[in-house]
Amino acid sequence: MPNGMDFPTRQPTGRFTNGRTIADILGQELGLENFTPPYMAPTTVGPAVLQGVNYASGAGGILSHTGNAFGGRIHLDAQIDNFAHTREYVISSLGMPAALSLLRSALFSVVIGSNDLINNYLTPVVSVPERAVVSPEEFVEAMISKYRMQLMRLYLLGARKIIVANVGPIGCIPYERDTNPSAGSNCVEFPNQMAQSYNKRLKDLVLELRSNLEGALIVYADVYRIVADIIQNHKNYGFEVADFACCFLTGRFGGLVPCGPTSKVCPDRSKYVFWDPYHPTDAANIVIARRLLDGDLNDIFPMNVRQLVGA
């Protein structure tokens, strides 16, 4: 399986990329000695959880029915349930005051929403009946009102420093390019417009929660802006290919079949922005992570990750 081929262990780890995710790289840059272990791993028990836990799930979404074609995935409500279990352990082992103090200083990274669009509202054929009755605006509002409750629940469980990433330019991923051939060699407009209208509402939500929740340090990470810049100016970042998947099987952009055991893999992963039909390479994730870490207010608002850690 090509996934994880450039990860330190050289094997699939549940990450949909050739190497590290953005969260992995942020952790390394901030001095974590190990990658944050997955919640579901049998070894993620006891004192290990005090160093942080990864609750992410492939195909998971804000809305609970997102990605149901992919079977076993953990949507955001269930991810927060899992965090609540970890929190109980932290309280029982450290006592309430120390546990709440640990949670207040901990960094929470919430990167979600793309699947709600790609594998829900925008899914070819399957979504046609829903799109006939639910407008893009209504769908975005449903996402935002659900997400509001989820972020408030995280806050009530003790989270204070929360990075909220917006949805990237999904109309530029190889999968959308291949399933919308009329766009030619351009990014597909409708998915990008939908991402932008969601992102606008998400920024409003972050500002609303910052002003309403006492002590909440919620930052808005403009991943859309960063990734659009990488794609548009890919040569400046040392990339050669910004539209084709490095791990591919078929399609003009290699975007029709997920990366798997029968896929072909490009020889130099560092020259590609996209690893597979949907996800960036380790090389692209490095650029994104560094801009979230040290970027200006256009990249991440109202402070970057390094400032948030110190806050």
Side-chain angles (χ1 to χ4, degrees), residues 88-102:
E88 291 302 316
Y89 170 80
V90 175
I91 292 169
S92 66
S93 57
L94 299 183
M96 187 63 96
L100 293 181
S101 170
L102 179 68

Side-chain angles (χ1 to χ4, degrees), residues 43-104:
T43 47
T44 308
V45 288
V49 307
L50 300 176
Q51 305 300 314
V53 180
N54 184 345
Y55 300 92
S57 172
I62 291 167
L63 303 171
S64 51
H65 63 286
T66 287
N68 54 12
F70 296 94
R73 80 247 170 265
I74 304 166
H75 51 72
L76 187 54
D77 279 335
Q79 291 180 32
I80 299 172
D81 290 342
N82 290 341
F83 164 63
H85 287 296
T86 303
R87 177 181 180 273
E88 291 302 316
Y89 170 80
V90 175
I91 292 169
S92 66
S93 57
L94 299 183
M96 187 63 96
L100 293 181
S101 170
L102 179 68
L103 294 175
R104 272 198 300 274

Side-chain angles (χ1 to χ4, degrees), residues 43 91 101 128 170 197 208 233 245 256 264 274 284 296-297:
T43 47
I91 292 169
S101 170
V128 171
I170 52 176
S197 69
E208 171 199 318
N233 304 302
L256 291 178
K264 302 179 193 68
F274 289 100
D296 62 19
L297 293 174

Side-chain angles (χ1 to χ4, degrees), residues 215-235:
L217 292 170
I218 308 176
V219 302
Y220 173 79
D222 197 348
V223 173
Y224 188 106
R225 179 179 190 271
I226 297 168
V227 175
D229 179 43
I230 294 170
I231 292 168
Q232 205 171 348
N233 304 302
H234 60 275
K235 295 272 199 297

